[in-house]
Amino acid sequence: MPRTRLIAANWKMNPPPAGWNEADSPYRPRTGLDVVVFPSFVDLDTCMKAGLTAGAQCGRSEEKGAFTGDVSMRMLKGPGCRYVLCGHSERRKFHRETDGDVAAQAAAAFALGITPVLCIGESAEERESGNAQKKVREQLQNISFPVVIAYEPVWAIGTGKSADPKNAQEMHAFIRSLLASAEGKRTRILYGGSVNEKNAAGFLAEPDIDGFLVGGASLDPAAFRAIVEAAAQRP
Ligand code: PGA
């Protein structure tokens, strides 16, 4: 059974793109392919009520408490949130989330039946010093339950400098090799980092790349539609 491809739109701190709620919106679910949007918290409920498959951009592992500004996984479960990003590099950078925090978030989400999309990836310095695999191995420690993995090299995010599909494939195969064999076959590993309508098909031709986490290009409905269409074609 081939793994169902997953194309995710990470809208970050932006409103939903124009036309997101139209009948033929590229952000809507479709058959044979999972399309998931990650709006800001204020737009999450609206998107879910409109029939989109939506996830949160982050969530805390604690159920409730004195964590001003934060939202717990338990709170996300209430309105029916299906996915949550865990450990996006911008959370790691701007909110100092550690691998331990991220593992706890993913475990809390999984326990509630929310699919964690675990974001991992090395910095430019780590790649240049030959430590990229060491980094992703560390980031995967303590993850002993099913997740979707998003491999997002930090140097490729929002820079317009995407990874080369062959290099990304090499890392995806390495990540898969770190998972227990049955789990490895099932786990969807997405690529993220400057994916656009021009480079999407090249990545999708690689056997271990199961879809994308798209940032910038997901805000452009035409570009996102082209990415979704590329993923809908299966050889
Ligand atoms: P980008 O962002 O596509 O703009 O590089 C990807 C991400 O941050 O998930």
Side-chain angles (χ1 to χ4, degrees):
M1 266 283 278
R3 293 177 291 272
T4 304
R5 284 179 170 163
L6 194 165
I7 305 297
N10 179 7
W11 291 339
K12 309 194 180 187
M13 200 173 71
N14 296 287
W20 69 273
N21 195 14
E22 280 164 18
D24 70 339
S25 149
Y27 305 102
R28 289 201 171 277
R30 48 188 288 164
T31 40
L33 178 72
D34 289 332
V35 177
V36 182
V37 300
F38 290 89
S40 74
F41 282 128
V42 292
D43 296 310
L44 189 54
D45 203 41
T46 315
C47 288
M48 288 191 290
K49 287 198 174 118
L52 271 58
T53 306
Q57 295 176 12
C58 62
R60 255 193 113 89
S61 55
E62 297 86 350
E63 279 202 23
K64 59 184 171 135
F67 300 106
T68 303
D70 283 346
V71 169
S72 72
M73 297 298 176
R74 167 74 59 191
M75 292 161 109
L76 294 173
K77 178 73 183 169
C81 185
R82 302 252 313 272
Y83 292 84
V84 63
L85 300 182
C86 297
H88 188 281
S89 67
E90 286 150 17
R91 300 290 308 173
R92 294 176 190 264
K93 179 175 170 192
F94 298 122
H95 296 268
R96 312 230 160 145
E97 291 183 2
T98 64
D99 289 343
D101 297 331
V102 173
Q105 293 161 14
F110 176 71
L112 290 162
I114 301 172
T115 302
V117 179
L118 184 80
C119 303
I120 59 175
E122 80 285 356
S123 65
E125 300 76 55
E126 286 156 346
R127 174 150 287 263
E128 278 150 27
S129 59
N131 287 317
Q133 291 192 345
K134 177 169 176 279
K135 177 68 174 198
V136 304
R137 177 185 280 133
E138 281 166 14
Q139 291 176 320
L140 279 170
Q141 257 169 27
N142 305 317
I143 306 292
S144 53
F145 42 84
V147 294
V148 171
I149 294 172
Y151 168 60
E152 299 204 295
V154 177
W155 47 269
I157 297 178
T159 58
K161 276 199 305 187
S162 66
D164 174 79
K166 293 278 173 233
N167 291 342
Q169 162 59 27
E170 206 177 291
M171 186 60 102
H172 281 226
F174 172 72
I175 292 167
R176 208 177 289 292
S177 77
L178 296 175
L179 308 172
S181 114
E183 203 51 52
K185 288 200 184 82
R186 271 195 299 269
T187 300
R188 291 184 288 181
I189 306 178
L190 316 180
Y191 168 76
S194 298
V195 172
N196 59 38
E197 69 283 20
K198 297 190 191 76
N199 61 21
F203 286 106
L204 291 166
E206 300 296 340
D208 288 298
I209 300 183
D210 303 314
F212 301 120
L213 180 55
V214 189
S218 77
L219 295 168
D220 173 347
F224 191 69
R225 186 183 300 281
I227 296 166
V228 169
E229 290 304 333
Q233 316 294 321
R234 283 211 94 130

